[in-house]
């Protein structure tokens, strides 16, 4: 092997290593399919609705628990996963709305309507 070939090979390995490290450090990818972490979802709702500390704690617990359930569905490769996840999201929204004051509820409805294709942040994309 000549020196040019060795340098080219070393450069390519370095590029692969750097790209791999960058991909591994991206927090959104760790959530699966680019979904938001429970903390990020609570932050987004807080920005739209202005939650109390108690509401934040309760909603975070709800999102964290459901995230675990959804991960279990993914790992089990449940054929009905999409439907179950959509039902979980609807249930989450109902539970969250029950935690909100009458002043916050319309803002929460606006927040949900502003989501891409009318789905909550982090929800599974619609399939056609």
């Amino acid at each position: 092997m000549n020196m040019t070939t060795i340098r080219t090979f070393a450069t390519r390995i370095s590029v692969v290593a750097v790209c791999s490290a960058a991909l591994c450090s991206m927090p959104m990818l760790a959530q699966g399919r680019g979904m938001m972490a429970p903390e990020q979802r609570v932050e987004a709702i807080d920005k739209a609705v202005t939650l109390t500390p108690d509401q934040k704690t309760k909603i975070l617990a709800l999102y964290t628990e459901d995230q675990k359930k959804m991960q279990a569905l993914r790992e089990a490769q449940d054929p009905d996963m999409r439907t179950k996840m959509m039902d979980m999201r609807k249930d989450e929204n109902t539970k969250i709305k029950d935690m909100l004051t009458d002043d916050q509820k319309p803002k929460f409805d606006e927040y949900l309507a502003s989501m891409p294709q009318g789905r909550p942040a982090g929800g599974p994309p619609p399939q056609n």
Side-chain angles (χ1 to χ4, degrees):
M1 269 191 199
N2 65 23
M3 199 56 139
T4 305
T5 304
I6 293 171
R7 284 187 188 139
T8 302
F9 184 71
T11 302
R12 288 180 183 171
I13 288 177
S14 298
V15 169
V16 169
V18 168
C19 291
S20 296
L23 288 174
C24 290
S25 68
M26 293 179 68
M28 293 300 283
L29 291 177
Q31 297 299 319
R33 302 177 95 193
M35 290 193 290
M36 294 170 66
E39 296 82 6
Q40 293 169 313
R41 294 178 70 197
V42 171
E43 190 176 308
I45 293 173
D46 183 37
K47 185 175 179 182
V49 176
T50 311
L51 299 170
T52 66
D54 185 51
Q55 289 171 324
K56 288 180 188 179
T57 301
K58 289 178 181 178
I59 294 171
L60 179 60
L62 173 68
Y63 280 155
T64 302
E65 182 62 31
D66 280 356
Q67 181 185 38
K68 291 175 187 175
K69 291 177 186 175
M70 288 184 187
Q71 185 60 38
L73 286 173
R74 281 188 208 96
E75 289 172 2
Q77 297 181 352
D78 188 323
D80 198 28
M81 175 179 69
R82 177 171 158 63
T83 303
K84 289 178 181 178
M85 286 185 174
M86 288 174 63
D87 289 344
M88 287 175 72
R89 292 289 188 218
K90 287 178 189 173
D91 188 46
E92 282 176 352
N93 291 338
T94 301
K95 288 177 181 178
I96 290 170
K97 207 164 182 181
D98 289 344
M99 294 178 205
L100 301 177
T101 65
D102 289 339
D103 291 337
Q104 291 172 319
K105 289 176 184 179
K107 294 176 185 176
F108 183 68
D109 289 335
E110 287 176 28
Y111 166 75
L112 292 177
S114 73
M115 292 289 101
Q117 299 160 3
R119 62 187 172 88
Q127 294 178 341
N128 295 330

